[in-house]
Amino acid sequence: MANELRMVEAVRTALGEELARDESVVVYGQDVAVNGGVFRATQGLVEGYPDRVYDAPVAESGIVGLGVGLAAHGMRPVAEIQFSGFMHQAYHQLQQHAARLRSRSRGSYECPMTIRSPYGGGIRALEHHSESFEAGYAHTPGLKVVVPSTPADTKGLLTSSIRDPDPVVFLEPTRLYRAFREPVPEDDHTVPLGEARVVEEGDDITVVAWGAMVREATRAAERVDASVEVIDPRTIFPLDSETILESVRKTGRCVVVHEAPQTAGMAAEIIARINDEALYYLEAPVERVTGYDVPFPLFAREEEYLPDEDRVAAGIERALSA
């Protein structure tokens, strides 16, 4: 059985089911209880669980720090940061405490904490509301980093994140919250962390994209005169390198797409792994189609910043013609 859900509804469904399944799960963050969250992802949950869904002050460091303490004492906190651009205020709690609790305690403590946050551009938001910092979190040993691109994956990946024994940064693409519906399993639906999805199979070139960029990559693939394999890693760290490498060994060409700035982005890491493990299979240099090395622009210029299907299609054509 499956319901047709939007991504934001899939978030709410996963949270509701985990609150019902496990009494150690608590959901909190700014305005998540009474108002149901800035995007209404938690709307109505407080009515069923008034003792485990609650509002927190506007203090990102305190929100994440509280979660570390709750997790250390046997709870499974699921915290919401209203926009990922404000998660930097909590980065020291993530990097110095959440990510290190297992190693610092020599395994005596786990940190089963999930930090949810809308991320990325495309909704004409204000400054500090559209950043893509997944590479920074991936560079922090001890954190897992998840980015869904469909409602079904959102439910499955969020459920797996909440059940995971380690801290997970769960980044939800804001522009996809209400972009489309798709069938989402009603039963206990999980998607393993660290396992990529082959969105489209193809033989001529591989395109790797995540979050909102998966739709741009898929549309671009339909425009070019080639058989394009589209891969969505779904988990940025740990990265499913083998699915990407297996595809590149088959196609010999690759384009990596992300909306974060180019320098030191995840595309650079993926290309490095391809060079390490599949260099002799390449028939052309790997292309990057990314955001630019500038602060995310105000909304009047965000369409020029974000990769779209035109830029992705051009990247595919360059890789095919090299």
Side-chain angles (χ1 to χ4, degrees), residues 192-268:
L193 305 186
E195 185 174 298
R197 177 172 68 105
V198 179
V199 181
E200 300 285 347
E201 293 189 359
D203 298 316
D204 296 333
I205 188 168
T206 301
V207 177
V208 183
W210 52 90
M213 292 298 103
V214 174
R215 282 163 64 86
E216 304 298 335
T218 304
R219 289 168 177 158
E222 294 172 353
R223 288 175 40 175
V224 300
D225 184 20
S227 175
V228 182
E229 184 146 293
V230 179
I231 294 177
D232 173 8
R234 303 194 288 198
T235 302
I236 302 303
F237 190 86
L239 183 69
D240 182 1
S241 299
E242 192 49 45
T243 295
I244 297 171
L245 293 169
E246 182 179 348
S247 177
V248 172
R249 292 181 186 118
K250 177 178 66 173
T251 65
R253 302 175 191 271
C254 184
V255 178
V256 186
V257 183
H258 61 63
E259 61 181 274
Q262 183 174 93
T263 298
M266 279 303 296

Side-chain angles (χ1 to χ4, degrees), residues 13-14 28 32 37 57 66 89 93 128 132 158 184 211 278 288 303:
T13 299
Y28 68 102
V32 303
L66 172 63
Q89 280 85 333
Q93 291 285 1
H128 299 309
S132 300
L158 181 55
V184 176
R288 287 185 286 183
E303 291 183 3

Side-chain angles (χ1 to χ4, degrees), residues 9 15 19 22 48 56 61-62 72 109 130 138 179 185 203 218 233 268 280 284 299 308:
E9 296 165 335
L15 293 174
L19 282 163
D22 185 348
S61 178
Y109 289 94
S130 303
D203 298 316
T218 304
Y280 294 113
F299 57 79
D308 59 13

